[in-house]
Amino acid sequence: MKIIFMGTPDFSVGTLEALIGAGHEVVLAVTQPDKPRGRGKAMQFPPVKEAALAHDIEVYQPVRIREPACIEYLRTFRADIIVVAAFGQILPGEILKMPPYGCVNVHASLLPKYRGAAPIQWAVINGDRISGVTTMRIDEGLDTGDMILKEEVLLDPKETGGSLFDKLSAVGAQLCVRTLSAISDGSAVYTPQDHEAATKVGMIRKQFGQIDWNQPAHRLECLIRGLNPWPSAYTKWNGKTLKIWNADVLPEDSDCPAGCVVQVTGDAVQVQTGDGILILNEVQLEGKKRMSCDAFLRGNAVREGDIFQSPAERDTAQRGANGVREGDKIQSPADHGNTCRSGKGIRISE
């Protein structure tokens, strides 16, 4: 088939490569504009642009795909179908009606669950055991079109947002090839979604990673995995940001309030939460590299009886730097000045 492909991040690249490998003619790759990245703010190509150029495919990067000039430009390619995988813009009706076989989307969830942005991270954050990919015929709603094919993926107990991203990217690529085969030979079945069962999720923002120690340990552990590798879950230690990359849950409680360090071992720090104890296994101190907790403890000479401090505690606690003391408290930035709060569930604010 003659295809216009629309996608932007790494997730989309696998689908583009699979379509090319299956013998389809990708006549145009549409992706988001280049963006400045890193300290030097050098302009960086989106992953789809890099992949398309490697295959000598023309690349188009409109700021707003719904502009009349953009629509007319797409029309000149006379594509049989438009395939979308994490493009990042909503297509207007003029584009949806343009190709004879319509527009197909590769969505990283089992629709109608997790319509919208970041379904991969939310599946991990919410502790789901099963995720998957759905191909659907795009309509003018947000992920509301008729479903074509689905494939489930079982999440590993230590699944992260990054590892699930890779799994679903590979599954979605092959599912898209199968979908186009079914469409071209007329065997595709279009199943309407159950809109009453639909759930919607929004974009992940950096501040979502701020840890509230009043939440249950199992939910914080899911949050840590879901936000790995971006934007990461974090707290404050001695006035500096401490990212937490890996943790385990100990299903018991101490007499300490939520946020207190209850034990420091040779390779981990145990912290009381609103329900259960969170064992920190891998961390990253502001300005330092990501490392195992035992390496962090060795490098910072942390011993039992020392303390993790929030900025609000520095004026009232005169203790050595890089210290942890049993019974002391680790605080999230939102907890400055507080010693203990109640509440269940991960607090997410925009």
Side-chain angles (χ1 to χ4, degrees):
M1 299 179 81
K2 194 174 180 181
I3 298 171
I4 291 177
F5 182 80
M6 297 183 176
T8 300
D10 289 321
F11 178 86
S12 315
V13 173
T15 299
L16 174 60
E17 297 281 0
L19 292 173
I20 296 170
H24 294 286
E25 181 186 3
V26 180
V27 294
L28 180 69
V30 184
T31 188
Q32 298 279 52
D34 301 344
K35 291 184 178 180
R37 298 290 174 87
R39 293 183 178 180
K41 298 300 181 182
M43 297 301 289
Q44 184 174 348
F45 291 173
V48 162
K49 180 177 181 178
E50 294 181 348
L53 292 177
H55 289 280
D56 295 320
I57 296 171
E58 182 179 339
V59 175
Y60 185 47
Q61 296 177 272
V63 174
R64 296 186 74 246
I65 193 67
R66 61 179 55 250
E67 293 292 335
C70 298
I71 296 171
E72 291 309 310
Y73 184 67
L74 296 183
R75 200 183 304 278
T76 64
F77 287 86
R78 299 183 180 278
D80 297 316
I81 193 168
I82 293 176
V83 175
V84 181
F87 172 47
Q89 297 187 43
I90 296 177
L91 305 186
E94 295 94 324
I95 292 178
L96 299 181
K97 299 172 185 176
M98 187 183 299
Y101 289 101
C103 301
V104 170
N105 183 40
V106 180
H107 186 75
S109 81
L110 298 174
L111 292 172
K113 189 173 185 179
Y114 296 149
R115 292 175 178 173
I120 298 174
Q121 293 96 322
W122 284 112
V124 180
I125 291 171
N126 289 337
D128 292 355
R129 301 311 309 149
I130 297 175
S131 183
V133 180
T134 306
T135 53
M136 53 165 282
R137 179 166 54 189
I138 305 175
D139 61 15
E140 294 193 54
L142 180 60
D143 299 325
T144 56
D146 293 346
M147 301 175 292
I148 307 172
L149 293 177
K150 283 186 179 183
E151 185 166 338
E152 294 185 350
V153 172
L154 182 65
L155 274 66
D156 185 85
K158 278 294 184 180
E159 199 78 65
T160 66
S163 63
L164 185 58
F165 184 98
D166 293 340
K167 286 181 180 180
L168 297 187
S169 176
V171 168
Q174 297 307 311
L175 195 67
C176 184
V177 171
R178 288 163 45 201
T179 298
L180 263 61
S181 294
I183 291 174
S184 63
D185 66 21
S187 64
V189 177
Y190 299 89
T191 305
Q193 295 187 42
D194 180 357
H195 300 301
E196 295 297 323
T199 58
K200 298 179 181 179
V201 289
M203 294 179 63
I204 298 291
R205 305 181 188 276
K206 188 174 182 179
Q207 63 265 33
F208 288 5
Q210 177 176 295
I211 289 178
D212 179 353
W213 293 102
N214 294 294
Q215 310 312 314
H218 73 92
R219 296 196 67 176
L220 293 180
E221 193 270 339
C222 289
L223 180 71
I224 290 165
R225 289 189 288 108
L227 299 185
N228 180 352
W230 190 89
S232 77
Y234 62 92
T235 186
K236 285 286 184 179
W237 172 62
N238 210 22
K240 294 183 178 181
T241 298
L242 182 70
K243 294 182 178 180
I244 301 174
W245 292 109
N246 184 283
D248 287 314
V249 175
L250 188 62
E252 59 185 56
D253 292 299
S254 70
D255 293 331
C256 298
C260 287
V261 175
V262 298
Q263 187 175 9
V264 179
T265 65
D267 60 357
V269 174
Q270 298 183 9
V271 185
Q272 179 65 51
T273 71
D275 183 9
I277 291 172
L278 193 70
I279 304 173
L280 312 188
N281 299 320
E282 187 178 5
V283 298
Q284 182 178 4
L285 186 62
E286 182 179 327
K288 301 295 182 180
K289 294 182 179 180
R290 179 172 170 171
M291 64 185 69
S292 61
C293 200
D294 63 330
F296 170 76
L297 293 171
R298 290 196 304 270
N300 290 277
V302 177
R303 300 177 300 273
E304 286 189 19
D306 293 339
I307 182 174
F308 279 99
Q309 290 181 305
S310 70
E313 293 174 313
R314 287 180 296 181
D315 296 334
T316 58
Q318 300 299 320
R319 296 166 184 167
N322 302 337
V324 177
R325 188 170 298 170
E326 252 186 76
D328 287 329
K329 183 175 183 180
I330 300 175
Q331 288 187 309
S332 65
D335 287 338
H336 293 173
N338 298 322
T339 56
C340 183
R341 292 192 305 214
S342 62
K344 301 295 181 182
I346 296 174
R347 182 181 306 140
I348 296 177
S349 57
E350 298 193 29

